[in-house]
Amino acid sequence: MSQRALVTGAGGFIGSHLVTYLRRQGWWVRGVDQKRPEFGETDADEFLVGDLRDPAVATAACEGIDEVYALAADMGGMGFISRDPATILHNNALINLNTIRAAQQAGVGRYFLASSACIYPEHIQDTPDATALREADAFPANPQDSYGWEKLMAELLCRYYHEQYGMEVRVARYHNIYGPEGTYDGGREKAPAAMCRKVALAPAGGAVEVWGDGSQTRSFCYVDDCVEGTYRLMRSDHREPLNIGSDRLVTIDELARLVFAAAGRDDLGIEHVDGPQGVRGRNSDNTELRRVLGWEPAVSLEKGLLETYRWIAEELAARGAA
Ligand code: NAD
């Protein structure tokens, strides 16, 4: 009989890609989420719709499961994260507390937590020429927002479940994951998807809005690399948190220009407007990733943005919006 995996947040962006990936690796997969995938049908063998803030849902989800991939989170881009800090901490803490306890009680063999680059201290991310973040930089802790603090608590929870119960835990710190089938409007979308939507909807010769002065920097990792890295980490024996991200740093203005190129829109300009920007600069240091997994993300930003742009433009066209 094939091994059984649970993916929480399986109705979300990375979760639904991970379900597809695990099925291709031969796993039987149960998904759980408070909603079914927004774009297309799930590939999961079984899909539970439920709220993981309720411990009974977490217990039902973990029953008979060999490995858990904990991706469920109340989250969004900078606009969302900076608006509702109490709700984010409350909801995500409940989800993570319930899920890991249910997994331990069900005798789950291996537990994966999707953590985030948002756990890194704000004061080492205050210049656009961002020093790449190493795993060891997490402490002394000073994340920028409640989302980062909660992820840090969830990381510690994994460490303590290992210490107290011997549970095998794996923790990835994702850095700005993007790709097709991610949210692209409604207020929770991230920068690459928002940029693709704005470009697809821009009139000829128009300008695309960028929050802030556009020189804040980030690195962006394509979703296929993210799920492959996640699976490789799960198969490794590495219990410490590990970055999964790209180490190619770009400004948000450069990101906009790359999307213009992907769309073949050399008629567009950039208009800087007020908006939440997050930290000034953030990059992933992949030294540890290469050492531990002998692997790192491979999909170029140009190729990834082309795939993402095409998908969002088609979605908008199908909705009659573009
Ligand atoms: P997403 O919002 O698309 O997926 C999260 C899913 O969790 C959603 O489908 C949502 O419905 C579900 N969820 C929220 N609250 C729930 C609840 N109470 N019960 C059950 N399900 C609930 O986000 P994503 O981009 O796919 O992110 C997946 C994971 O990766 C999250 O833990 C996120 O914090 C982490 N992460 C993502 C990124 C990124 O750039 N996308 C970066 C760092 C970390």
Side-chain angles (χ1 to χ4, degrees), residues 88-127:
I88 288 177
L89 200 151
H90 179 90
N91 288 348
N92 291 331
L94 288 178
I95 292 169
N96 285 319
L97 288 163
N98 289 339
T99 309
I100 197 163
R101 162 136 305 183
Q104 185 266 324
Q105 289 178 342
V108 161
R110 225 164 248 227
Y111 188 90
F112 170 87
L113 170 74
S115 184
S116 166
C118 290
I119 63 99
Y120 287 112
E122 181 172 12
H123 59 265
I124 57 171
Q125 303 177 71
D126 53 6
T127 57

Side-chain angles (χ1 to χ4, degrees), residues 9-322:
F13 167 48
I14 304 171
S16 56
H17 283 271
L18 182 61
V19 166
T20 305
Y21 186 88
L22 290 171
R23 292 275 283 118
R24 283 203 203 113
Q25 303 299 316
W27 287 73
W28 182 95
V29 182
R30 177 183 295 148
V32 62
D33 200 299
Q34 58 188 0
K35 64 170 174 60
R36 298 189 74 88
E38 220 173 315
F39 313 106
E41 252 319 298
T42 179
D43 286 328
D45 295 278
E46 197 177 291
F47 196 97
L48 301 183
V49 175
D51 186 338
L52 289 164
R53 290 173 299 179
D54 176 354
V57 171
T59 300
C62 288
E63 199 192 329
I65 289 296
D66 299 301
E67 297 193 354
V68 169
Y69 292 82
L71 274 71
D74 193 3
M75 60 108 51
M78 270 325 298
F80 176 74
I81 284 180
S82 53
R83 203 171 46 233
D84 299 323
T87 308
I88 288 177
L89 200 151
H90 179 90
N91 288 348
N92 291 331
L94 288 178
I95 292 169
N96 285 319
L97 288 163
N98 289 339
T99 309
I100 197 163
R101 162 136 305 183
Q104 185 266 324
Q105 289 178 342
V108 161
R110 225 164 248 227
Y111 188 90
F112 170 87
L113 170 74
S115 184
S116 166
C118 290
I119 63 99
Y120 287 112
E122 181 172 12
H123 59 265
I124 57 171
Q125 303 177 71
D126 53 6
T127 57
D129 58 343
T131 314
L133 297 163
R134 292 168 305 140
E135 286 78 357
D137 293 330
F139 295 98
N142 181 26
Q144 186 183 50
D145 41 51
S146 81
Y147 172 74
W149 280 107
E150 193 285 325
K151 286 288 189 197
L152 207 51
M153 187 210 71
E155 287 193 5
L156 292 174
L157 206 58
C158 287
R159 183 201 290 178
Y160 298 138
Y161 265 74
H162 173 68
E163 285 177 14
Q164 189 172 335
Y165 301 109
M167 190 181 214
E168 281 298 332
V169 291
R170 304 287 180 265
V171 177
R173 292 178 182 152
Y174 292 160
H175 289 244
N176 293 313
I177 313 304
Y178 73 101
E181 296 178 24
T183 302
Y184 58 86
D185 62 5
R188 286 179 180 242
E189 66 279 19
K190 311 279 183 51
M195 203 66 76
C196 290
R197 183 199 71 233
K198 289 175 187 179
V199 168
L201 296 177
V208 166
E209 287 188 353
V210 166
W211 287 350
D213 65 4
S215 45
Q216 65 272 35
T217 53
R218 292 293 185 278
S219 68
F220 297 96
C221 176
Y222 193 60
V223 66
D224 289 0
D225 280 331
C226 170
V227 295
E228 182 177 347
T230 297
Y231 191 68
R232 285 175 179 265
L233 174 58
M234 195 62 149
R235 305 276 55 90
S236 80
D237 58 4
H238 189 74
R239 288 193 200 102
E240 297 300 315
L242 193 66
N243 287 332
I244 291 188
S246 157
D247 58 3
R248 176 175 169 193
L249 194 67
V250 294
T251 67
I252 298 300
D253 278 357
E254 280 163 353
L255 177 74
R257 287 191 209 98
L258 285 168
V259 177
F260 296 172
R265 295 289 304 269
D266 54 11
D267 58 309
L268 296 178
I270 293 174
E271 185 190 350
H272 295 120
V273 297
D274 282 345
Q277 298 175 48
V279 294
R280 194 66 182 144
R282 171 177 290 157
N283 196 6
S284 175
D285 183 317
N286 286 350
T287 313
E288 187 68 355
L289 176 65
R290 285 188 290 266
R291 187 189 70 76
V292 172
L293 299 185
W295 172 92
E296 67 184 314
V299 179
S300 71
L301 192 51
E302 285 77 5
K303 178 170 182 338
L305 285 174
L306 187 62
E307 298 292 332
T308 310
Y309 178 79
R310 277 189 190 144
W311 179 80
I312 290 176
E314 276 169 23
E315 281 285 311
L316 288 167
R319 278 170 35 183

